[in-house]
Each structure stands twice: as structure tokens, then as C-alpha cells.
Amino acid sequence: MNTTDTSDFVPIYDSLVAEHGDVPAEAREAAEEIQREAAEALDWSKVRGGG
């Protein structure tokens, strides 16, 4: 069984974030924005409410 300390990967991740930006965080934010826009576009409550 191989035990690898996960803290060994932190400097690599930090250097990638510094070089390319925090891609997972940016993707998460974009997905959340798309979900908000889709929910608004698919909200039929105003149409069904008659007002």
C-alpha cells in the first residue's frame, strides 16, 4: 500500500493556479450563473399567474 501525503501536491496546485487561474472555481461560478439564467428563463409562474 502506497501512502502519499496530499500536502505534497499543494505547491503544484498553487503554481498551476498562479499560472492559469483557478479554473475549477471559474467553472463553478459560470455553472451557477447559467443555472440562475436557466431558472429565470424557465419560470412560467408569471405567465400562469395571469398578471
Side-chain angles (χ1 to χ4, degrees), residues 1-46:
M1 187 165 132
N2 186 2
T3 58
T4 304
D5 186 7
T6 56
S7 65
D8 293 341
F9 298 111
V10 174
I12 295 170
Y13 182 77
D14 289 342
S15 66
L16 287 171
V17 168
E19 187 175 335
H20 299 286
D22 193 350
V23 175
E26 292 172 13
R28 189 177 314 106
E29 291 171 8
E32 290 170 353
E33 176 64 23
I34 290 169
Q35 286 179 330
R36 281 191 296 273
E37 291 176 6
E40 185 178 321
L42 298 173
D43 182 13
W44 291 83
S45 63
K46 295 176 185 172

